């Protein structure tokens, strides 16, 4: 009886093995396929976005910056790095820093009569309004340069404001693990997508307490979407944020 | 992101607890065997249907029973279909009883039918072999897989109790590896149930064909001079 099945035994066995091979290959590649794509896909996406969406703002900036370079540069550039840390700890500080910034502004009166006109007209109403209040005091010619300076300062202020908003939002979401040293200090490099969602939050410097690092990372992810300024041009400044977190507020 | 990378299929199996691994191994074995039987039965039933049709055709086209018997006798036993064997058994018994004097026609037919009945039952038994295995794989292996899953999830939650902060990242790998057992159980069960139902139906049809052939063949024998 069993002799009759004989010729099929081998082929049936091979087919059964083949079915399982296919099934496991499906499972194996299915799982890998799901895990991999996150990083490479998103990089491609936002390379193209700012180019199409905000060509005008990009042209604006080179015009503004050479004008105010001597005065603005020390304000905008160094501010990005050191300001993050005090801001996280004491939100009021940026206010003081900003008022400092507004004082030197009336000085850059002398240069550039023509070019800033074009740029100032492009800027939004809020900036213009703030600039006009200052402009009323001084002469027509100088007011334009001042407007440009004011605008850049407003941009810087906006950057600081939103940085403060972002870290405040994240701070609210941190679930503090027990026994975190007061001097713990975790640094994160957060990469954002337009719209405020977090592409990645990378720990650049651990606080030495893994639970705290994890809590911060979770808080960053939980805070999505992060508050971002409405202007598309400004998003470039928020694409990569270096944030510092300390347990003591 | 690191969490997702740990979820590769191999990791899931390697990191599972011992009992879950045993369950998975058992299921793999069961699934292998059941697929083996599925293909084995598929081939042999197909062959049986083909041989039955061939023999029926030659039987109805060629009414010379001795010639048919000679053909059946000359072919190797493993090449014979079930129907041809039933025919041969009936024919041999009929000739033997005919040669004995003093046996009346009714008794000859009775003996012939008994001989055919015996061969028919033996052939049915051969055709139905292993079908019970497919049926029990179909009904039991989901439960085995479920058992592995329940055990794995129990472990995952017990491990969770030791962690202060419970996050999805802590629970997810444990549950995923536990669920692999259910997936394997279902993978073994679904084809087994389908195959069982299909083969049972096909064997049923074959048996009807055998039985009606037996009746018709008895009539043909009875008409023999």
């Amino acid at each position: 009886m069993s002799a009759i099945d004989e010729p099929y035994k081998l082929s049936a066995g091979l087919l059964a093995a083949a079915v399982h091979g296919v099934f496991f290959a499906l499972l194996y590649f299915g799982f890998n396929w799901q895990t991999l794509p996150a990083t490479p896909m998103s990089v491609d996406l936002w390379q193209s976005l700012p180019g199409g969406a905000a060509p005008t703002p990009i042209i604006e900036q080179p015009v503004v910056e050479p004008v105010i370079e001597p005065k603005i540069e020390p304000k905008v550039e160094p501010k990005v790095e050191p300001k993050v840390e005090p801001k996280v700890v004491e939100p009021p500080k940026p206010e003081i820093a900003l008022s400092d910034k507004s004082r030197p502004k009336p000085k850059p009166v002398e240069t550039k009569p023509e070019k800033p006109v074009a740029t100032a007209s492009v800027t939004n109403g809020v900036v213009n309004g703030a600039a006009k209040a200052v402009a009323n005091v001084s002469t027509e010619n100088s007011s334009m340069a001042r407007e440009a300076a004011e605008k850049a300062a407003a941009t810087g202020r906006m950057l600081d404001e939103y940085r403060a908003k972002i870290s405040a939002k994240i701070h609210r979401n941190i679930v503090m693990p027990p026994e975190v040293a007061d001097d713990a200090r975790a640094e994160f490099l957060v990469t954002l997508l337009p719209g405020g969602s977090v592409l990645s939050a990378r720990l650049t410097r651990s606080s030495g307490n893994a639970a705290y690092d994890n809590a911060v990372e979770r808080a960053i992810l939980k805070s999505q979407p992060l508050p971002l300024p409405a202007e598309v041009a400004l998003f470039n400044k928020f694409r990569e944020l270096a944030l510092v977190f300390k347990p003591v507020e | 992101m690191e969490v997702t990378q740990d979820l590769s299929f191999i990791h899931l199996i390697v990191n599972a607890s011992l009992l879950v691994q045993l369950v998975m191994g058992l299921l793999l074995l069961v699934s292998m065997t059941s697929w083996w039987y599925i293909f084995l039965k598929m081939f042999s039933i197909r062959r049986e249907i083909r041989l039955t049709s061939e023999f029926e055709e030659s039987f109805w086209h060629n009414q010379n029973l001795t010639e048919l018997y000679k053909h059946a006798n000359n072919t190797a036993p493993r090449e014979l279909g079930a129907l041809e064997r039933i025919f041969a058994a009936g024919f041999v018994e009929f000739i033997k009883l005919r040669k004995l004097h003093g046996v009346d026609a009714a008794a000859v037919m009775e003996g012939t039918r008994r001989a055919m009945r015996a061969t028919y039952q033996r052939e049915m038994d051969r055709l139905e072999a292993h079908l019970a295995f497919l049926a029990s794989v179909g009904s039991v292996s989901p439960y085995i897989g479920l058992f592995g899953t329940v055990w794995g999830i129990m472990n995952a939650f017990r491990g969770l109790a030791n962690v202060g902060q419970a996050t999805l990242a802590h629970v997810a790998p444990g549950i995923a590896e536990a669920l692999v057992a259910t997936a394997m159980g279902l993978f073994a069960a679904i084809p087994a149930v389908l195959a069982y139902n299909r083969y049972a139906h096909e064997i049923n049809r074959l048996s009807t064909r055998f039985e009606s052939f037996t009746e018709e063949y008895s009539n043909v024998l009875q008409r023999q001079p």
Side-chain angles (χ1 to χ4, degrees):
Chain A
M1 266 178 237
S2 59
I4 284 165
D5 288 339
E6 202 75 69
Y8 302 120
K9 268 183 181 166
L10 187 66
S11 49
L14 286 179
L15 275 172
V19 166
H20 285 79
V22 167
F23 179 65
F24 281 109
L26 219 105
L27 269 183
Y28 184 74
F29 291 115
F31 269 89
N32 270 8
W33 180 76
Q34 280 179 343
T35 51
L36 285 179
T39 31
M41 268 174 73
S42 3
V43 170
D44 278 348
L45 267 178
W46 45 294
Q47 210 66 15
S48 58
L49 241 181
T56 36
I58 287 170
I59 301 162
E60 247 176 69
Q61 264 147 5
V63 182
V64 177
E65 259 160 31
V67 182
I68 318 143
E69 208 155 26
K71 284 116 206 170
I72 290 297
E73 191 92 69
K75 274 163 234 156
V76 176
E77 286 297 296
K79 203 148 281 169
V80 176
E81 282 301 315
K83 195 142 283 173
V84 187
E85 299 154 31
K87 199 150 296 157
V88 175
V89 190
E90 306 127 328
K93 258 184 197 167
E95 303 294 306
I96 305 161
L98 288 176
S99 56
D100 281 346
K101 203 192 297 166
S102 55
R103 248 172 261 151
K105 232 140 276 157
K107 283 167 206 164
V109 175
E110 325 93 281
T111 48
K112 294 291 169 182
E114 290 304 307
K115 274 176 198 166
V117 182
T119 61
S121 61
V122 187
T123 54
N124 67 355
V126 182
V127 178
N128 266 346
K132 266 169 204 161
V134 186
N136 286 340
V137 188
S138 56
T139 62
E140 274 301 309
N141 205 12
S142 65
S143 75
M144 290 174 184
R146 198 177 304 141
E147 242 172 71
E150 192 65 24
K151 197 202 71 123
T155 310
R157 209 178 302 140
M158 201 116 106
L159 284 182
D160 291 338
E161 185 190 332
Y162 275 98
R163 274 173 158 282
K165 274 189 189 172
I166 288 173
S167 27
K169 184 167 184 186
I170 294 174
H171 259 283
R172 274 202 303 279
N173 282 326
I174 293 181
V175 180
M176 195 58 76
E179 293 163 17
V180 176
D182 284 354
D183 58 347
R185 180 189 144 98
E187 295 182 13
F188 275 85
L189 186 68
V190 181
T191 313
L192 292 181
L193 289 175
S197 50
V198 176
L199 177 66
S200 73
R202 195 161 54 81
L203 183 68
T204 48
R205 192 171 158 275
S206 170
S207 63
N209 185 336
Y212 183 63
D213 293 345
N214 285 337
V216 173
E217 189 177 346
R218 273 197 301 279
I220 292 173
L221 295 177
K222 197 177 166 191
S223 308
Q224 301 182 66
L226 293 173
L228 284 181
E231 282 176 76
V232 187
L234 287 179
F235 171 70
N236 283 336
K237 313 256 181 203
F238 288 94
R239 191 174 278 171
E240 288 208 322
L241 289 175
L243 298 175
V244 179
F245 297 90
K246 292 177 183 174
V248 184
E249 190 73 22
Chain B
M1 249 162 223
E2 288 91 87
V3 176
T4 43
Q5 262 157 16
D6 280 343
L7 276 179
S8 101
F9 183 62
I10 303 295
H11 273 270
L12 287 185
I13 292 176
V14 172
N15 293 338
S17 69
L18 183 68
L19 191 102
V20 178
Q21 276 177 342
L22 280 181
V23 165
M24 287 196 234
L26 178 70
L27 282 173
L28 184 68
L29 196 75
V30 163
S31 162
M32 274 293 217
T33 327
S34 96
W35 272 97
W36 186 58
Y37 281 142
I38 287 173
F39 284 116
L40 208 60
K41 282 276 120 186
M42 185 180 85
F43 290 140
S44 60
I45 287 175
R46 247 192 224 167
R47 171 180 177 273
E48 209 55 65
I49 291 174
R50 180 172 50 84
L51 287 178
T52 305
S53 304
E54 277 173 16
F55 181 76
E56 271 179 347
E57 190 151 328
S58 66
F59 180 81
W60 293 115
H61 283 157
N62 175 8
Q63 289 284 347
N64 189 341
L65 295 184
T66 327
E67 222 167 80
L68 282 173
Y69 175 70
K70 266 183 196 157
H71 174 259
N73 220 14
N74 289 338
T75 4
R78 62 164 51 185
E79 300 293 318
L80 281 182
L83 196 57
E84 206 160 1
R85 283 179 218 224
I86 294 173
F87 162 80
F91 192 77
V92 169
E93 191 63 28
F94 180 72
I95 296 295
K96 275 185 190 162
L97 286 172
R98 266 296 241 350
K99 276 180 185 159
L100 295 176
H101 291 285
V103 183
D104 63 343
V108 168
M109 281 325 294
E110 194 60 32
T112 310
R113 284 178 151 237
R114 268 202 300 271
M116 286 195 290
R117 183 97 213 146
T119 316
Y120 161 80
Q121 271 165 359
R122 211 173 293 130
E123 292 301 319
M124 285 314 293
D125 176 64
R126 187 177 60 81
L127 279 177
E128 279 172 354
H130 310 313
L131 269 195
F133 178 81
L134 287 184
S136 38
V137 165
S139 51
V140 167
S141 66
Y143 294 115
I144 302 179
L146 192 62
F147 172 67
T149 297
V150 167
W151 191 268
I153 290 183
M154 268 162 59
N155 268 355
F157 280 124
R158 229 187 37 196
L160 202 62
N162 303 330
V163 187
Q165 282 178 314
T167 60
L168 205 58
H170 287 122
V171 207
I175 292 181
E177 73 189 26
L179 285 176
V180 170
T182 305
M184 290 175 75
L186 290 179
F187 176 69
I190 295 169
V193 172
L194 280 178
Y196 172 78
N197 287 335
R198 185 179 163 78
Y199 295 161
H201 172 70
E202 277 177 355
I203 289 174
N204 211 11
R205 286 183 64 193
L206 270 179
S207 103
T208 319
R209 275 170 92 173
F210 292 168
E211 269 170 355
S212 41
F213 173 82
T214 314
E215 299 301 314
E216 286 162 340
Y217 180 46
S218 310
N219 283 342
V220 171
L221 282 180
Q222 208 159 16
R223 274 187 263 121
Q224 290 294 309

